[in-house]
């Protein structure tokens, strides 16, 4: 048995987000520093074959915020799903440093856990971002947190994650692709239906899997990871959800499909992974919120905020210099 | 100076009329309608591309409001163009055959490698080393079961953040870190000892958001780049130039305000040569095609719809609507839908290491 290692979410902030933040700060928030809803998106993990070495290089497990993340109806890039978030900006660097991050984080995890106990998957990937914007210097300090519930004992797999095409036929995978192509889902259920597969919402677990034997039930999620043996971060909370909502199923082994084929590759190669996850993790006894992790590490690999320096791209004097 | 220039460009852009007649075969320029048609085709064939509306205040009225520009996100870039051997570059230019390359390269003879940012090139070594480190390190953490959480084998930070800022960052960080980590420590460390998050995804790969707008003055598409380094920090202009082939950096690629945003600045490939190059490329491709067709003529029917009339797969299956140009243009030659596909191949020669050309499978 191997412990399942999840590939953590990493934040990718488009410059447009900082521009929107600047506008928001100056025109709307001004000196207020209350929490504001924000929306990010993520899509299936991508990898690229290095033309020189032939190695396949996995790209990041990215959550992207962009220019319209503060709007009510953010534009969703193709094949992406939305992740809701909480945004909090501080007026000074001192406040930013002194912020009570633990309580912010706990508030958020309480909220996520509550939504799990209510049976909703909407907030499973909810995140937190705190910022300080040094508008004069075009520098933005920020720190993302992607809360995940810790399973004790940890989830395990009975061996390797396999290519999904070893478990499902091409036709079946194509069927899933067709469904998700028109309406991407972050989490979904898969059951056989005759020779093909059907896709349903995780919330409808009981009715959807009512007459399906356990060995035919498959839980799937849009996987932002591209690493062969590491499913992406969203699975962690999904497993916690299952452990809480459907403990008997969770204990017997969860068939997990890590969906990565948002685009069909021309050579007929499937990228999705499949594995059976087991664990004796149970929250049923108390129903209390499990432990949580999730602050993003900075480029140095430490837990700490990151900084985006946009002066080279925004500062008029520096732009003038390079435009000779 | 630059500001004045930009004002001038803005005025010139405002005054120049919208191209009405199709000119793409004569001189490589396209109308907004053709841009939209080509964009539709591109987004259909290659779903990584999508249309964007941009800021409402910047909407350009000769384009549909929801189809102002095209974007593809997270295009990987494994190496710096400045580290490419020169021969590689010429090979990459081979799309139109030998003669074309010469012409295109010759238009930018002053190929001074000096002036370009030189401190690059070693980035490509890192992924391998790192991967291993991380794997072993991850394992180590697992078995140790505890210890400090994750100090990933100190990556030699050849990274692009100038020293000054790094110090800044450190100073501020340390203060900020200590506070939140300690209280959370019990949980965080516990957790990471049990489930060390996968580390292999520390990428050393730059990614780019690539945008294509329609340039009204030059009547061609125009390419914009927004780059991120391997830590997902935005790239500075100097860093972006590392990914531009030496012939074009600082000459045809500049940082300019992005058309569809009031504040955004992006690196842009200046479109002044696009039309003529596109024309040559198209002509050459057409010529090659006609030869091929002439050869085939005896054997296969000329109106073979699924045939290789053009080196791209035609939309197949239930998508006849995606052939707006109709089949009556059989008189040899590229349909305007393909314009952007070809355009990307040409752009790939300017930014050879950015894997912008997802069309290679065709």
């Amino acid at each position: 048995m191997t412990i399942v290692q999840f590939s953590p979410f990493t934040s990718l902030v488009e410059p447009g987000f900082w521009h929107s933040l600047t506008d928001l700060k100056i025109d709307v928030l001004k000196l207020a520093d209350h929490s504001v809803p924000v929306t990010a998106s993520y899509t299936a993990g991508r990898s690229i074959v290095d033309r020189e070495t032939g190695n396949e290089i996995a790209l990041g497990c990215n959550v992207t915020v962009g220019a319209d993340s503060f709007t009510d109806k953010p534009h969703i890039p193709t094949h992406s799903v939305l992740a809701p978030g909480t945004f909090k900006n501080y007026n000074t660097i001192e406040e930013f440093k002194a912020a009570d991050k633990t309580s912010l984080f706990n508030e958020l995890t309480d909220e996520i856990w509550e939504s799990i106990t209510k049976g909703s998957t909407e907030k499973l990937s909810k995140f937190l971002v705190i910022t300080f914007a040094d508008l004069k210097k075009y520098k933005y300090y920020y720190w993302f947190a992607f809360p995940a519930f810790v399973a004790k004992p940890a989830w395990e797999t009975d061996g390797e994650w396999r290519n999904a095409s070893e478990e499902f036929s091409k036709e079946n995978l194509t069927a899933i692709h067709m469904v998700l192509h028109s309406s991407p889902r972050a989490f979904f259920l898969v059951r056989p239906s005759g020779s093909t597969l059907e896709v349903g919402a995780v919330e409808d677990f009981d009715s959807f899997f009512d007459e399906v034997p356990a060995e035919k039930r498959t839980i799937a999620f849009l996987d932002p990871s591209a690493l062969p043996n590491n499913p992406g971060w969203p699975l962690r909370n999904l497993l916690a959800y299952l452990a809480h909502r459907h403990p008997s199923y969770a204990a017997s082994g969860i068939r997990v499909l890590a969906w990565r084929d948002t685009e069909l590759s021309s050579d007929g190669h499937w990228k999705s992974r499949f594995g059976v996850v087991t664990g004796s993790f149970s929250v049923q006894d108390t129903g209390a919120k499990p432990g949580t992790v999730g602050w993003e590490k900075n480029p140095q690999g430490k837990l700490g905020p990151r900084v985006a320096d946009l002066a080279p791209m925004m500062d008029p004097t520096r732009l003038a210099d390079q435009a000779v | 100076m630059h500001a004045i220039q930009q004002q001038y460009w803005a005025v010139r852009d405002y005054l120049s009329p919208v191209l009405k007649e199709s000119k793409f075969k004569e001189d490589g320029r396209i109308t907004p309608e053709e841009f939209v048609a080509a964009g539709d085709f591109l987004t259909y064939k290659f779903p990584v591309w999508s249309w964007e509306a941009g800021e409402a205040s910047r909407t350009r009225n000769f384009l549909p409001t929801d189809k102002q520009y095209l974007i593809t996100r997270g295009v990987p870039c494994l190496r710096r163009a400045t580290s490419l051997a020169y021969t590689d570059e010429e090979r990459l230019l081979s799309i139109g055959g030998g003669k074309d390359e010469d012409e295109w390269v010759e238009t930018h003879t002053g190929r001074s490698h000096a002036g370009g940012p030189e401190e690059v090139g070693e980035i490509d070594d890192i992924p391998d080393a790192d991967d291993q480190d991380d794997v072993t390190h991850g394992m180590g953490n697992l078995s140790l079961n505890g210890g400090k959480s994750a100090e990933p084998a100190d990556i030699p930070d050849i990274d692009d953040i100038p020293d000054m800022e790094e110090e800044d960052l450190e100073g501020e960080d340390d203060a900020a870190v200590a506070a939140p980590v300690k209280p959370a420590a019990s949980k965080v460390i516990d957790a990471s000892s049990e489930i060390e998050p996968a580390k292999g995804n520390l990428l050393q790969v730059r990614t780019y958001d690539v945008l294509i707008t329609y340039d009204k003055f030059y009547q061609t598409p125009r390419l914009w780049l927004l780059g991120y380094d391997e830590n997902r920090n935005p790239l500075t202009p100097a860093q972006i130039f590392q990914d531009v082939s030496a012939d074009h950096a600082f000459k045809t690629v500049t940082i300019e305000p992005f058309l569809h945003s009031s504040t955004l600045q992006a690196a842009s490939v200046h479109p002044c040569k696009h039309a003529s190059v596109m024309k040559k490329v198209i002509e050459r491709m057409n010529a090659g095609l006609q030869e091929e067709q002439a050869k085939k003529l005896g054997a296969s029917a000329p109106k073979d719809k699924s045939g290789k009339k053009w080196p791209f797969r035609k939309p197949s299956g239930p998508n006849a609507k995606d052939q707006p140009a109709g089949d009556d243009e059989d008189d040899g030659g590229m349909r305007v839908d393909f314009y952007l596909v070809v355009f990307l191949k040409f752009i790939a020669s300017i930014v050879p290491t950015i894997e912008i050309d997802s069309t290679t499978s065709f």
Side-chain angles (χ1 to χ4, degrees), chain B residues 143-166:
Chain B
S143 52
L144 279 176
N145 206 26
K148 275 284 176 186
S149 80
E151 295 230 356
D154 262 353
I155 313 154
D157 221 17
I158 46 164
D159 197 328
D160 326 88
I161 309 168
D163 292 349
M164 240 177 58
E165 289 157 31
E166 190 109 31

Side-chain angles (χ1 to χ4, degrees), chain B residues 260-335:
Chain B
H260 294 281
S261 160
S262 45
T263 47
L264 200 59
Q265 304 271 346
S268 168
V269 181
H270 199 259
C272 57
K273 295 266 183 349
H274 287 6
S276 57
V277 175
M278 282 301 289
K279 175 170 179 274
K280 277 180 197 136
V281 173
I282 291 168
E283 275 173 0
R284 188 150 292 274
M285 291 180 107
N286 282 345
L289 197 72
Q290 275 160 358
E291 273 172 35
E292 221 173 89
Q293 271 186 335
K295 263 188 258 165
K296 272 199 205 161
L297 209 60
S300 66
K303 272 233 166 188
D304 181 8
K305 280 204 180 170
S306 61
K308 284 256 168 173
K309 175 167 139 188
W310 186 222
F312 306 102
R313 205 159 62 193
K314 286 183 93 175
S316 55
N319 45 34
K321 70 181 169 64
D322 271 283
Q323 309 188 4
D327 281 330
D328 49 342
E329 284 192 51
D330 271 13
D331 50 330
M334 186 184 83
R335 295 182 330 181

Side-chain angles (χ1 to χ4, degrees), chain A residues 6 11 14-15 19 46 48 50 62 75 139 141 230 263 293 296-297 303 306-307 309 313 319 322-323, chain B residues 2 48 52 73 76 79 150 165-166 168-169 172 177 191 196 198 228 231-232 255 263-265 355:
Chain A
F6 301 92
S11 60
E14 293 177 4
H19 293 286
R46 289 164 72 178
I48 177 171
D50 185 343
N62 287 341
H75 173 83
K139 273 192 177 184
Y141 300 84
N230 303 105
E263 290 157 35
V293 289
E296 186 183 16
K297 291 187 175 130
L303 286 170
R306 302 159 58 96
V307 59
D309 182 6
M313 295 302 268
L319 282 175
Q322 72 79 29
Chain B
H2 192 55
V48 291
E52 288 276 328
R73 293 190 171 84
R79 300 196 163 68
E165 289 157 31
E166 190 109 31
D168 249 353
L169 176 69
E172 252 128 18
V177 170
E196 184 58 32
Y228 308 93
N231 294 313
R232 306 174 310 284
I255 306 292
T263 47
L264 200 59
Q265 304 271 346
E355 308 277 338

Side-chain angles (χ1 to χ4, degrees), chain B residues 46-182:
Chain B
F46 308 102
V48 291
W49 287 95
S50 58
W51 283 107
E52 288 276 328
E55 275 179 36
S57 59
R58 295 290 170 130
T59 301
R60 318 186 81 206
N61 56 15
F62 49 85
L63 289 168
T65 46
D66 57 338
K67 293 184 178 178
Q68 292 285 307
Y69 63 93
L70 290 154
I71 187 167
T72 180
R73 293 190 171 84
V75 180
C77 176
L78 301 178
R79 300 196 163 68
R80 305 292 77 83
T82 37
S83 66
L84 277 191
Y86 207 75
T87 47
D88 277 349
E89 215 162 316
E90 292 192 24
R91 182 169 52 79
L92 282 159
L93 275 163
S94 65
I95 104 185
K99 205 170 144 206
D100 253 4
E101 298 166 20
D102 295 344
E103 283 167 12
W104 172 240
V105 173
E106 270 167 16
T107 50
H108 302 269
T109 36
R111 90 174 51 139
S112 61
H113 280 276
E118 298 288 353
E119 70 293 275
V120 286
E122 56 277 21
I123 289 185
D124 35 342
D125 300 335
I126 285 179
D128 303 318
D130 237 12
D131 277 351
Q132 285 161 6
D133 272 1
D134 283 328
V135 170
T136 45
H137 185 77
M139 298 315 281
N141 254 346
L142 266 182
S143 52
L144 279 176
N145 206 26
K148 275 284 176 186
S149 80
E151 295 230 356
D154 262 353
I155 313 154
D157 221 17
I158 46 164
D159 197 328
D160 326 88
I161 309 168
D163 292 349
M164 240 177 58
E165 289 157 31
E166 190 109 31
E167 276 167 359
D168 249 353
L169 176 69
E170 289 290 4
E172 252 128 18
D173 271 0
D174 284 336
V177 170
V181 174
K182 283 276 159 57

Side-chain angles (χ1 to χ4, degrees), chain A:
Chain A
M1 301 293 267
T2 359
I3 289 180
V4 181
Q5 291 185 307
F6 301 92
S7 172
F9 266 141
T10 50
S11 60
L12 187 135
V13 185
E14 293 177 4
F17 179 81
W18 302 127
H19 293 286
S20 302
L21 167 58
T22 307
D23 295 344
L24 184 77
K25 165 86 181 127
I26 293 173
D27 300 333
V28 184
L29 291 178
K30 298 187 178 142
L31 287 178
D33 58 1
H34 56 269
S35 298
V36 175
V38 65
T39 314
S41 66
Y42 66 89
T43 185
R46 289 164 72 178
S47 59
I48 177 171
V49 176
D50 185 343
R51 276 190 287 206
E52 284 184 27
T53 61
N55 295 336
E56 192 158 2
I57 298 174
L59 299 184
C61 190
N62 287 341
V63 167
T64 309
V65 287
D68 53 1
S69 285
F70 291 114
T71 56
D72 296 335
K73 280 191 188 163
H75 173 83
I76 314 174
T78 343
H79 305 315
S80 297
V81 294
L82 292 181
T86 301
F87 164 85
K88 193 167 165 65
N89 183 58
Y90 293 89
N91 287 314
T92 64
I93 187 75
E94 288 78 20
E95 284 177 40
F96 178 76
K97 283 193 230 171
D100 188 352
K101 300 173 187 73
T102 316
S103 77
L104 280 174
F105 191 74
N106 282 338
E107 269 172 43
L108 180 65
T109 52
D110 286 344
E111 189 185 334
I112 299 173
W113 188 249
E114 195 191 332
S115 83
I116 288 181
T117 56
K118 285 182 181 155
S120 160
T121 56
E122 257 171 52
K123 291 180 175 168
L124 286 187
S125 299
K126 188 153 184 179
F127 67 96
L128 170 71
V129 54
I130 56 172
T131 59
F132 163 67
D134 191 344
L135 298 182
K136 287 182 186 157
K137 290 187 189 150
Y138 307 96
K139 273 192 177 184
Y140 300 86
Y141 300 84
Y142 65 105
W143 200 351
F144 276 80
F146 304 102
F149 296 106
V150 178
K152 286 184 190 176
W155 297 104
E156 296 178 329
T157 51
D158 56 347
E160 292 285 284
W161 287 84
R162 312 196 295 277
N163 193 297
S165 58
E166 295 174 24
E167 180 68 21
F168 300 99
S169 71
K170 281 207 166 82
E171 292 70 32
N172 286 346
L173 291 173
T174 311
I176 299 177
H177 172 82
M178 294 307 283
V179 174
L180 293 191
H181 188 75
S182 46
S183 58
R185 294 169 186 241
F187 310 99
F188 54 97
L189 307 176
V190 178
R191 73 175 177 199
S193 156
S195 63
T196 180
L197 293 180
E198 278 182 344
V199 170
V202 177
E203 282 84 351
D204 304 331
F205 189 95
D206 290 324
S207 57
F208 188 77
F209 280 157
D210 191 23
E211 304 200 331
V212 183
E215 67 274 11
K216 298 278 186 200
R217 298 176 177 181
T218 306
I219 309 286
F221 70 106
L222 182 71
D223 190 358
S225 162
L227 296 166
N229 290 314
N230 303 105
W233 207 237
L235 178 60
R236 261 189 113 158
N237 285 349
L238 178 64
L239 291 175
Y241 174 94
L242 293 170
H244 180 68
R245 305 282 305 172
H246 311 283
S248 57
Y249 172 66
S252 66
I254 304 173
R255 292 158 45 86
V256 176
L257 172 64
W259 185 253
R260 298 177 183 177
D261 291 287
T262 50
E263 290 157 35
L264 291 183
S265 68
S266 47
D267 56 3
H269 173 74
W270 294 91
K271 299 186 285 292
S272 297
R273 309 293 293 178
F274 177 84
V276 177
V277 176
T278 54
S280 46
F281 172 55
S282 167
V283 283
Q284 199 61 12
D285 330 334
T286 59
K289 184 181 80 172
T292 45
V293 289
W295 285 100
E296 186 183 16
K297 291 187 175 130
N298 64 12
Q300 288 77 39
K302 307 227 168 77
L303 286 170
R306 302 159 58 96
V307 59
D309 182 6
L310 265 71
M313 295 302 268
M314 286 170 94
D315 188 341
T317 54
R318 288 184 60 177
L319 282 175
D321 285 347
Q322 72 79 29
V324 186

